[in-house]
Every structure is written in C-alpha cells, then in structure tokens.
Amino acid sequence: MKNKLLACFVLVILVVLGGSIYMLSYSLLPDNNDTHSYNRKYEQLFADCPEIKPWHDSLQNVAALRDTFITMASGERHHALYIPARERTNRTAVVIHGYTANAVDVMYLGYMYHHDLNFNVVLPDLHAHGKSEGKVIQMGWKERDDVQRWIALADSMYRDSSGTASIVVHGVSMGAATTMAVSGDSTAASVKCFVEDCGYSSVWEEFKGQLAEQFGLPEFPLMYSASLLCKLAYGWSFGETSALKQVRKCHKPMLFIHGDQDTFVPTAMVYDLYDAKPEPKELYIAHGSAHAMSYKDHRREYTARVKRFLEKYM
C-alpha cells in the first residue's frame, strides 16, 4: 500500500513538473518565425492599414526610417526603429509592442505620432523579439529596464535648444504592461506621461485566465509550480510581475485605453488598474473593440483622445 501511495505521489509530482515545463515553454519561448519576421508583418500592416504604406514609402525614400542598436546591461544587442519628426521638436514617443510581436506591429502608432502629431518616434524590439537578442519572453517585467535605456536614448537624441526633452511612453498589450511596469519605477524628468492600451493587471491573472480558457485547468497546482520554476530559471515569478502594484506608485499622468469587447485581456482589468492609479489619469473605453483593436476601429477618436491628453502634459 505504501509503495502504491509513493508511486502515485511521484507520478503526480512528475505530471505537475512536466506540465509546468510545458507551460513555461508554451508561454515564454517565442516563435522565432513570428517574432523576428519584419517582411511578413509589414505585409499584414499594409493590408490592415493601407493609408500607412505611402507614409512608410515616403520615409524610406528620404532615409527617415532608421535602425539603431544598443547594448543592454546583460550584454545583449537590442534593436529599435526610429523616425525623426517632420518639423524639429523635442517631443518623442517611445512605442512598445506586445507579446510575440515586434516594432512593425505598432507602426500604426508610429504613424499616428509622426504623421498626425509631429513627434519623433522610437519603436524598440523588446528582449527576444524582432531583431533584439534574447531567448525568453519576460512578459514586460524585466523588459522595463530595457525600456529605460530606450528612454535615455530618446532623451539624448531629441532635445530642444535649452537641452530638454519631452517623452511619452505608449504601449499596447504586453507593451502596455511593460509601460505600466516602467511607470512604477523612477523615470527621467523628460518622461512626462504614459499611455497604456489593453495591458493586463498582472501576469498571474492573465496566465490564470488563459490556462482556464485554453486548457480548462484551474490555477492550482500548475500556476504555483510554473511560477516557482520561472523564478528559479529566469529570476522572476508570476506574482511579482504586477502592473497593478506598479501603477499605484506612479504619480505621472497616464491614459488608460481598453476595448469593451476584449476577452484576451478582459476589459474588467482596466477598471482595477485605473482605480489603483493616483491622479492625474484618464480613461478611454473603445466601444465594440476587441483586444488591441481600439485604434484600428476608432482611428480618429483614438488619435483625438491621445492628442488631448498629450496637450495637457507635454
């Protein structure tokens, strides 16, 4: 009897361990064909937003769409696209893409900031995405330190005659979670405000929801074991990666955007985030929009909301 109980116990441990390894691999190891593809993503971008192609081509013709690489503290080389404003300005948008995406996926926001608002634009490829080195997606938590480096670069590149810069950090989905993670840390005086579009309140809540939706599994025991394994392997746990905790510490202005039909990052999360954030703050709920579709569904309203917000604080 004892041997059977022991065998059952060992079997359960092995199943949980195997499930945890699979969960981490499924969630955090990028599909390189997807995250590193620029050409395919440009094709999709132009199909979804045909007005962007003439703008993109005009940038290419005058060599205004440029590449840059910087070395992170880890020694990895990370990549970004950057676009100088049409007319000289110290206003710069650092635009952060989402999960398994790259800079091209948020080029529509580059278009908004550059074409419509006359900003300089920096579009980083996050760790393990696009042309940036790295092996494991870190769900916006450790990437917040990388974004600080891109902020510093933008600060040094785009100053006015008095030597000052004015920066907004704008992220979508995991990029929004990254933006909120940055907001809770100390940021340069040049960072004036933040825009988060459909970011999750915490990795724990997002993974728990996806575990239930995609696999029909409860949070116990896999969430706990996978989080522990993540901590041991990569230095962070699901519980500590909380945008909710970070926005509580943020006293700079933030605009929260979310589609009211978002089920991937449930719309309810934005209300928790908004309530947690001290003033100043604003909230825009895009009617009828699913995940990361608010701009594409409501381009004029989205742009107008962002513009009004920025005019207050930049």
Side-chain angles (χ1 to χ4, degrees), residues 4 7 52 91 113 133 143 157 180 184 194 200 250 278 283:
K4 288 183 178 179
I52 291 180
R91 300 197 305 169
Y113 276 106
E133 294 179 342
E143 289 94 337
M157 288 175 64
M180 290 186 282
F194 302 92
Y200 41 81
C250 175
L283 176 64

Side-chain angles (χ1 to χ4, degrees), residues 157-172:
M157 288 175 64
Y158 298 119
R159 295 180 178 179
D160 61 18
S161 58
S162 66
T164 61
S166 187
I167 297 170
V168 57
V169 183
H170 187 145
V172 179

Side-chain angles (χ1 to χ4, degrees), residues 17 32 92 183 190 227 287-288:
L17 179 61
N32 289 341
T92 303
S183 79
S190 57
S227 179
H287 179 67

Side-chain angles (χ1 to χ4, degrees), residues 175-227:
T178 310
T179 297
M180 290 186 282
V182 170
S183 79
D185 292 344
S186 177
T187 52
S190 57
V191 177
K192 304 302 182 185
C193 54
F194 302 92
V195 181
E196 79 83 20
D197 181 343
C198 65
Y200 41 81
S201 56
S202 72
V203 171
W204 185 281
E205 290 301 315
E206 180 62 17
F207 279 5
K208 181 178 77 171
Q210 291 303 309
L211 189 64
E213 181 176 331
Q214 294 190 39
F215 301 101
L217 294 173
E219 63 182 308
F220 183 84
L222 274 182
M223 284 292 298
Y224 294 86
S225 55
S227 179

Side-chain angles (χ1 to χ4, degrees), residues 252-267:
K252 292 185 178 181
M254 184 175 294
L255 172 60
F256 295 85
I257 300 173
H258 219 104
D260 67 5
Q261 298 301 307
D262 193 341
T263 56
F264 187 74
V265 176
T267 308

